[in-house]
Amino acid sequence: FKRSPRPGYYVRFRWEGREHVRGAGPTKAGAERLLSKAHAKLCDGSDVARVLVEVFRDAGGPNLSFADARARYQEYAKARKRPGTLVADEQRLDVIAEEPWAKGPMHRIRREDVTAFVDRIKASGRRGTPCRPATANRYLSVISAVLQWGVREGMIPANVARGAERY
Protein backbone atom coordinates (compact mmCIF):
# COMPACT_ATOMS: atom_id res chain seq x y z
CA PHE A 1 0.00 0.00 0.00
CA LYS A 2 1.35 3.33 -0.92
CA ARG A 3 0.06 6.80 -0.38
CA SER A 4 1.15 8.90 -3.32
CA PRO A 5 1.36 12.68 -3.59
CA ARG A 6 -2.06 12.49 -5.26
CA PRO A 7 -5.10 11.74 -3.10
CA GLY A 8 -5.84 8.13 -2.22
CA TYR A 9 -4.04 4.85 -1.83
CA TYR A 10 -2.45 2.69 -4.48
CA VAL A 11 -2.03 -1.06 -4.47
CA ARG A 12 1.11 -2.61 -5.93
CA PHE A 13 1.23 -6.34 -6.58
CA ARG A 14 3.15 -8.80 -8.72
CA TRP A 15 1.44 -11.62 -10.58
CA GLU A 16 3.13 -14.02 -12.98
CA GLY A 17 6.26 -11.88 -13.07
CA ARG A 18 4.51 -8.58 -13.90
CA GLU A 19 4.00 -5.74 -11.50
CA HIS A 20 0.64 -3.98 -11.41
CA VAL A 21 -0.11 -0.67 -9.70
CA ARG A 22 -3.68 0.53 -9.36
CA GLY A 23 -5.56 3.26 -7.57
CA ALA A 24 -7.45 1.70 -4.69
CA GLY A 25 -9.47 4.47 -3.10
CA PRO A 26 -9.23 7.03 -0.34
CA THR A 27 -8.61 4.71 2.63
CA LYS A 28 -6.04 2.09 3.50
CA ALA A 29 -8.79 -0.31 4.61
CA GLY A 30 -10.47 0.02 1.20
CA ALA A 31 -7.16 -0.63 -0.54
CA GLU A 32 -6.64 -3.76 1.58
CA ARG A 33 -10.13 -5.03 0.65
CA LEU A 34 -9.51 -4.53 -3.06
CA LEU A 35 -6.14 -6.24 -2.88
CA SER A 36 -7.67 -9.17 -1.01
CA LYS A 37 -10.47 -9.45 -3.56
CA ALA A 38 -8.00 -9.33 -6.47
CA HIS A 39 -5.78 -11.94 -4.84
CA ALA A 40 -8.72 -14.30 -4.31
CA LYS A 41 -9.83 -13.98 -7.94
CA LEU A 42 -6.31 -14.52 -9.23
CA CYS A 43 -5.83 -17.60 -7.04
CA ASP A 44 -9.14 -18.96 -8.39
CA GLY A 45 -7.66 -18.82 -11.89
CA SER A 46 -9.14 -15.60 -13.26
CA ASP A 47 -7.23 -13.76 -15.96
CA VAL A 48 -5.22 -10.77 -14.71
CA ALA A 49 -6.79 -8.38 -17.24
CA ARG A 50 -10.28 -9.46 -16.18
CA VAL A 51 -9.41 -9.01 -12.48
CA LEU A 52 -8.09 -5.52 -13.15
CA VAL A 53 -11.33 -4.59 -14.89
CA GLU A 54 -13.62 -6.22 -12.30
CA VAL A 55 -11.82 -5.19 -9.12
CA PHE A 56 -10.08 -1.93 -10.02
CA ARG A 57 -12.53 -0.84 -12.75
CA ASP A 58 -9.92 -0.45 -15.48
CA ALA A 59 -11.93 1.41 -18.07
CA GLY A 60 -9.96 0.25 -21.06
CA GLY A 61 -8.86 -3.15 -20.00
CA PRO A 62 -6.22 -4.94 -22.02
CA ASN A 63 -7.55 -3.87 -25.45
CA LEU A 64 -7.44 -0.11 -24.99
CA SER A 65 -6.20 1.53 -28.18
CA PHE A 66 -3.55 4.25 -28.31
CA ALA A 67 -6.18 6.61 -29.75
CA ASP A 68 -8.55 5.92 -26.84
CA ALA A 69 -5.76 6.03 -24.23
CA ARG A 70 -4.73 9.54 -25.20
CA ALA A 71 -7.62 11.16 -23.27
CA ARG A 72 -6.69 9.25 -20.12
CA TYR A 73 -3.02 10.11 -20.65
CA GLN A 74 -3.86 13.80 -21.08
CA GLU A 75 -5.69 13.79 -17.75
CA TYR A 76 -2.58 12.28 -16.17
CA ALA A 77 -0.32 14.81 -17.92
CA LYS A 78 -2.34 17.88 -16.86
CA ALA A 79 -0.79 17.81 -13.40
CA ARG A 80 2.71 17.30 -14.77
CA LYS A 81 3.11 19.50 -17.85
CA ARG A 82 2.80 23.18 -18.67
CA PRO A 83 -0.34 24.36 -20.49
CA GLY A 84 1.57 25.21 -23.67
CA THR A 85 3.14 21.78 -23.76
CA LEU A 86 -0.27 20.17 -23.26
CA VAL A 87 -1.68 22.05 -26.27
CA ALA A 88 1.25 21.02 -28.48
CA ASP A 89 1.00 17.41 -27.27
CA GLU A 90 -2.74 17.37 -28.00
CA GLN A 91 -2.12 18.50 -31.58
CA ARG A 92 0.52 15.81 -32.06
CA LEU A 93 -1.72 13.17 -30.48
CA ASP A 94 -4.51 14.12 -32.91
CA VAL A 95 -2.18 13.35 -35.83
CA ILE A 96 -0.91 10.13 -34.22
CA ALA A 97 -4.46 8.91 -33.45
CA GLU A 98 -5.22 8.77 -37.17
CA GLU A 99 -2.57 6.11 -37.76
CA PRO A 100 -3.87 2.56 -38.30
CA TRP A 101 -1.63 1.14 -35.57
CA ALA A 102 -2.95 3.72 -33.07
CA LYS A 103 -6.51 2.44 -33.56
CA GLY A 104 -5.68 -1.11 -32.49
CA PRO A 105 -4.84 -2.40 -29.00
CA MET A 106 -1.79 -0.73 -27.49
CA HIS A 107 -0.16 -4.06 -26.71
CA ARG A 108 0.03 -4.79 -30.46
CA ILE A 109 2.01 -1.67 -31.37
CA ARG A 110 5.45 -2.57 -32.71
CA ARG A 111 8.62 -0.52 -32.76
CA GLU A 112 8.53 -0.74 -36.57
CA ASP A 113 5.12 1.00 -36.58
CA VAL A 114 6.44 3.87 -34.49
CA THR A 115 9.68 4.18 -36.46
CA ALA A 116 7.86 4.16 -39.81
CA PHE A 117 5.48 6.87 -38.59
CA VAL A 118 8.31 9.10 -37.34
CA ASP A 119 10.26 8.57 -40.58
CA ARG A 120 7.17 9.53 -42.60
CA ILE A 121 6.59 12.65 -40.47
CA LYS A 122 10.22 13.67 -40.93
CA ALA A 123 10.10 13.09 -44.69
CA SER A 124 6.75 14.70 -45.49
CA GLY A 125 5.51 16.42 -42.32
CA ARG A 126 1.80 16.96 -41.78
CA ARG A 127 1.37 19.27 -44.75
CA GLY A 128 3.57 17.52 -47.30
CA THR A 129 6.80 19.41 -46.61
CA PRO A 130 9.70 17.85 -44.69
CA CYS A 131 9.91 18.79 -41.05
CA ARG A 132 12.92 19.39 -38.90
CA PRO A 133 14.49 16.53 -36.96
CA ALA A 134 13.45 18.15 -33.66
CA THR A 135 9.80 18.02 -34.74
CA ALA A 136 10.04 14.33 -35.58
CA ASN A 137 11.68 13.74 -32.19
CA ARG A 138 8.79 15.54 -30.47
CA TYR A 139 6.31 13.16 -32.09
CA LEU A 140 8.44 10.24 -30.92
CA SER A 141 8.60 11.71 -27.41
CA VAL A 142 4.82 12.03 -27.20
CA ILE A 143 4.33 8.46 -28.40
CA SER A 144 6.90 7.25 -25.88
CA ALA A 145 5.27 9.23 -23.06
CA VAL A 146 1.84 7.69 -23.72
CA LEU A 147 3.32 4.20 -23.98
CA GLN A 148 5.33 4.68 -20.78
CA TRP A 149 2.14 5.78 -19.04
CA GLY A 150 0.52 2.58 -20.37
CA VAL A 151 3.36 0.54 -18.85
CA ARG A 152 2.91 2.25 -15.48
CA GLU A 153 -0.84 1.63 -15.63
CA GLY A 154 -0.25 -2.05 -16.45
CA MET A 155 -1.91 -1.87 -19.87
CA ILE A 156 1.14 -2.94 -21.85
CA PRO A 157 4.27 -4.87 -20.89
CA ALA A 158 6.86 -2.56 -22.46
CA ASN A 159 7.35 0.80 -24.13
CA VAL A 160 8.21 -0.10 -27.73
CA ALA A 161 9.14 3.51 -28.54
CA ARG A 162 11.92 3.47 -25.98
CA GLY A 163 15.16 2.93 -27.79
CA ALA A 164 13.78 4.01 -31.18
CA GLU A 165 16.33 6.02 -33.13
CA ARG A 166 16.11 9.78 -32.74
CA TYR A 167 17.25 12.30 -35.31
Side-chain angles (χ1 to χ4, degrees):
F1 304 102
K2 182 179 180 190
R3 180 121 174 136
S4 77
R6 296 187 320 226
Y9 282 84
Y10 290 78
V11 172
R12 179 182 305 242
F13 66 95
R14 184 173 294 279
W15 192 258
E16 295 178 345
R18 281 197 57 211
E19 185 173 68
H20 303 275
V21 179
R22 292 294 185 275
T27 65
K28 186 173 182 178
E32 288 171 342
R33 279 192 300 277
L34 287 178
L35 182 60
S36 177
K37 188 176 180 181
H39 186 259
K41 285 181 177 275
L42 290 168
C43 288
D44 287 342
S46 291
D47 180 46
V48 176
R50 169 160 281 171
V51 170
L52 294 174
V53 170
E54 290 175 359
V55 176
F56 298 101
R57 297 184 195 103
D58 279 9
N63 292 318
L64 185 68
S65 72
F66 187 96
D68 294 335
R70 70 184 175 154
R72 291 177 59 189
Y73 167 75
Q74 286 171 310
E75 283 299 315
Y76 164 82
K78 276 183 185 176
R80 292 163 176 77
K81 292 187 175 187
R82 293 180 177 158
T85 304
L86 289 171
V87 170
D89 283 356
E90 185 174 351
Q91 292 171 347
R92 289 184 187 100
L93 286 168
D94 288 343
V95 172
I96 295 164
E98 296 302 315
E99 290 296 304
W101 54 264
K103 295 176 183 174
M106 283 197 334
H107 65 86
R108 291 202 178 133
I109 297 173
R110 300 172 305 155
R111 180 173 287 159
E112 296 82 26
D113 298 328
V114 174
T115 304
F117 168 75
V118 174
D119 289 344
R120 194 168 59 256
I121 285 289
K122 184 178 182 306
S124 63
R126 288 189 328 180
R127 297 182 185 105
T129 58
C131 69
R132 295 179 180 258
T135 303
N137 287 340
R138 287 186 187 105
Y139 276 95
L140 181 57
S141 292
V142 169
I143 293 169
S144 184
V146 174
L147 293 176
Q148 190 59 38
W149 168 80
V151 170
R152 275 194 303 276
E153 292 293 313
M155 295 175 192
I156 54 175
N159 179 353
V160 295
R162 181 172 271 171
E165 185 178 341
R166 295 188 180 267
Y167 295 100

